[in-house]
Every structure is written in structure tokens, then in C-alpha cells.
Amino acid sequence: MATRLPNYQMRDGVTRLGQSYFNPIWADLDSRLDALERVRINWDSQVAQLRELGLRRIDDYIRPLTDEVDALLEAARTETDGLAVALVDEHLTPVIAQVNAILAQAQTATDGIAQTLVDEHIAPILAQAQGVLGEIQAIRQQSNTSAQATLTEIDELRDSAQENADAIATLLAEAGWQEQLDNLAITALRPGDLARAGDYPTVNDDGQSAVGNVPDDIQAALTAGTASAALGRYDLAVNRNYQAHASTAIDLDLSAGPQVALVGNSSLRTVNFDNAPEDRSMLVIVFAVGAAGLSFTQLPSAAYWDSGEVPEAGAYWTQYLLWWTGSYWRGSVGMKQ
């Protein structure tokens, strides 16, 4: 990807930090961010397509298996019933027909002849018929047992196939689509990750996708130990929170600023500085309105003041100049009246 870093680089002692320098940078970054934010991916559509793909795979591979199982089950049942019918038709029906014919003949004869016919012919045939019926029942019982075992095995295969189909659908829904989307030629950041003004996509030291911020980068560069900049002018915000504050104790948080504070001192007030930067120097200006004066927790004695004594307040106002060296405080009175 082409870089526009040369358009953003500053040169010591040459680059002037003002609107003529920063506004073209903001415009360029804004246009590039706008182009990036126009890239949209319909995540729900992608997931739906992949789920549909998984269902089609199930229809292609699992559905034929279940249909084949149903066909085998029906064939087993049909073959079992057909086997019993065939045995009856082939063996039992002819025997019964023969018995009926002999009985009909016996009824027309004398009792002795009938008895003889029964003993000589009918009884053996009936015994044979009973034996055939027993064999048929045994064969049918064996067929039922075999068919039941086959049905149980088929049910187990069907349950296993259903579990596999569910597992395939779950994997497609939960994992597969993410791997496919990762190969698209877009940033891996999700929509909404660029939340602050000046955010831009970048990579961290490990080569992973990350979010950078132009104002944060500039602030880090300007506050680095070796950084320098030439300013045509600058102004400072004024802390007016204690101008009409009634408390006798004032805590100024130097990590949040401002470095200029306006304090009303109709009565003596004590100023305490919090969170001075370590190993970095700064100037704090406290403008006291009133004649009661101020005392400073970090400058308790004359040794901390340039005049060799704790300064007295003016009759109307006093300007205190407090210098933080990076490890201790020194002070002086700039003006007073």
C-alpha cells in the first residue's frame, strides 16, 4: 500500500505547527478514513450463505443415507412377511387340501373304513402338518429376531448420521465462515472499532491489526524526551475554579492542567501541587486576587524563594511564578500591587 508519510513529516526548525500544516493532514486523513469506512460487509448475509451451504451438503450426503436406511427397513419387513406367506403356500396349504379330501372320502364310508383311513392316512399327515407348522413358526421367529436386530442396527445408524449432520451444521455456523472472511482483502477490524476522531487502522509491534489515533501520535511525539518544535505563539488555559472558592486549602492537579490558576484570597489560603511530572520541568503561574496572601505546601520556607524570604502579598493582587525543576520547586513573585 502506498504511504503518504512524506506529506506528514516535520523538519526541526522549519515546520510551523499551525493550520497551514495540520489542516491538509486532517483533510487527507479524513478522506482516507471516509473511503475506508465505505467498505461494508453484510455479516448476516455471509453467515446465512454459509449455513445454506452446510444444509446443501447435508442434503447431498446425509439425506440419501437416511432414504437408503428407510428403504432397507421396508424391504426387511416385506421380506419377513413374504417368507411366512411363501412357507404356508408351499407346504401347509397342500397338506391341508389333502387332509380335507381324505376327510371327505372318509365321511362316505363305514365307520371302520373311516377309522382305518384316519389311522393309516390322516394321522400321519396331521403329524406331518403339525411338524411343518412348528418349523414355519421357528423360521418366522428366527426371521423376526433377525429383522428386529436389523431394525435396531438401522436405528443406530440413523441416530449416528443425524448426530454427524448436526455436528457439521454447528461447525459451519460457528467456525467456517470466519476463516473464509479472514481471506477477504479488507481490514480485519470490525465496523465500529474506529470510534474516535482521528482513529485509523494500523498494526502493532506483533504485526496484528490495531487502531491508531493521529492526535495521540502527535501528542506523544511532542512530549517525547528528544522531541522539539517551533511555535509562533501559544496560549494557556486558566483554572478559575478557586477564584471564588471558600475553602482555605487548594489542590491543583498538574497532570490535568491548566498551568495558570486564578485564586481569590480574601483570607489566607494554602496551595498544594499534585502530580508534578517526574524528570520534566514546568512553570506554574498562580495569580492571587486579594491581600491575604498565599502559602505553598511545596515551598514552605525562605530557602525555596529567589528573594531569600517568603514573599509578602500585594495590597490588591500578587503574581506567583512557581518553577518545577523535575525534582523540586522554586518560586518568585513576578508582579504585585
Side-chain angles (χ1 to χ4, degrees):
M1 178 181 293
T3 176
R4 300 183 184 177
L5 178 61
N7 296 338
Y8 306 151
Q9 287 182 329
M10 294 183 283
R11 290 183 294 172
D12 294 342
V14 176
T15 303
R16 298 177 63 85
L17 300 182
Q19 64 180 12
S20 61
Y21 172 73
F22 285 109
N23 286 349
I25 294 178
W26 301 143
D28 186 28
L29 293 174
D30 183 71
S31 63
R32 298 183 74 183
L33 290 173
D34 179 69
L36 181 62
E37 290 171 352
R38 293 177 184 274
V39 177
R40 292 292 186 267
I41 298 176
N42 190 330
W43 303 95
D44 292 338
S45 175
Q46 295 294 327
V47 172
Q49 290 178 9
L50 288 168
R51 285 179 177 169
E52 183 179 355
L53 175 62
L55 293 177
R56 287 202 300 270
R57 291 294 183 270
I58 291 173
D59 287 339
D60 291 342
Y61 297 103
I62 304 302
R63 182 74 67 184
L65 177 60
T66 58
D67 292 342
E68 183 178 354
V69 169
D70 291 338
L72 289 174
L73 177 61
E74 185 61 28
R77 290 173 179 169
T78 301
E79 290 176 1
T80 301
D81 294 339
L83 177 61
V85 173
L87 290 173
V88 171
D89 291 342
E90 183 177 352
H91 298 283
L92 186 59
T93 300
V95 172
I96 293 174
Q98 185 178 1
V99 170
N100 288 334
I102 294 173
L103 287 175
Q105 181 181 359
Q107 289 176 358
T108 61
T110 63
D111 292 339
I113 296 175
Q115 185 63 42
T116 301
L117 291 173
V118 169
D119 294 340
E120 293 180 357
H121 300 283
I122 295 177
I125 293 174
L126 288 176
Q128 183 181 1
Q130 289 178 350
V132 172
L133 284 174
E135 292 178 1
I136 291 174
Q137 290 177 352
I139 293 173
R140 185 163 189 172
Q141 181 65 33
Q142 183 179 1
S143 299
N144 289 337
T145 302
S146 177
Q148 185 62 41
T150 302
L151 292 175
T152 301
E153 184 178 357
I154 290 173
D155 289 338
E156 291 176 354
L157 289 174
R158 176 184 287 175
D159 294 339
S160 177
Q162 185 62 47
E163 291 176 358
N164 291 335
D166 294 341
I168 291 173
T170 300
L171 289 175
L172 287 173
E174 295 181 354
W177 64 271
Q178 182 64 49
E179 295 179 2
Q180 294 188 26
L181 291 180
D182 285 344
N183 295 326
L184 295 178
I186 60 170
T187 174
L189 298 176
R190 296 169 297 178
D193 281 349
L194 305 179
R196 296 189 300 159
D199 280 352
Y200 63 91
T202 183
V203 293
N204 57 25
D205 294 338
D206 297 327
Q208 302 297 321
S209 298
V211 177
N213 183 268
V214 174
D216 290 348
D217 294 345
I218 294 176
Q219 182 179 8
L222 291 178
T223 56
T226 58
S228 62
L231 303 178
R233 62 172 299 278
Y234 72 93
D235 53 41
L236 300 174
V238 178
N239 184 350
R240 298 181 181 272
N241 295 334
Y242 300 97
Q243 186 172 359
H245 202 279
S247 174
T248 58
I250 298 173
D251 289 315
L252 296 179
D253 186 355
L254 301 181
S255 66
Q259 295 174 228
V260 179
L262 186 60
V263 177
N265 65 328
S266 56
S267 60
L268 180 63
R269 311 180 75 173
T270 300
V271 178
N272 179 67
F273 298 126
D274 295 324
N275 300 317
E278 186 177 356
D279 295 329
R280 297 182 66 85
S281 65
M282 65 183 305
L283 175 67
V284 178
I285 300 174
V286 178
F287 190 84
V289 179
L294 298 176
S295 64
F296 296 86
T297 303
Q298 282 81 8
L299 295 89
S301 64
Y304 291 86
W305 298 90
D306 67 336
S307 61
E309 59 184 14
V310 176
E312 295 182 359
Y316 301 100
W317 54 265
T318 307
Q319 179 196 59
Y320 296 91
L321 304 178
L322 296 312
W323 181 260
W324 170 247
T325 67
S327 57
Y328 54 85
W329 287 93
R330 291 293 182 263
S332 65
V333 172
M335 298 178 291
K336 65 181 178 179
Q337 182 180 356

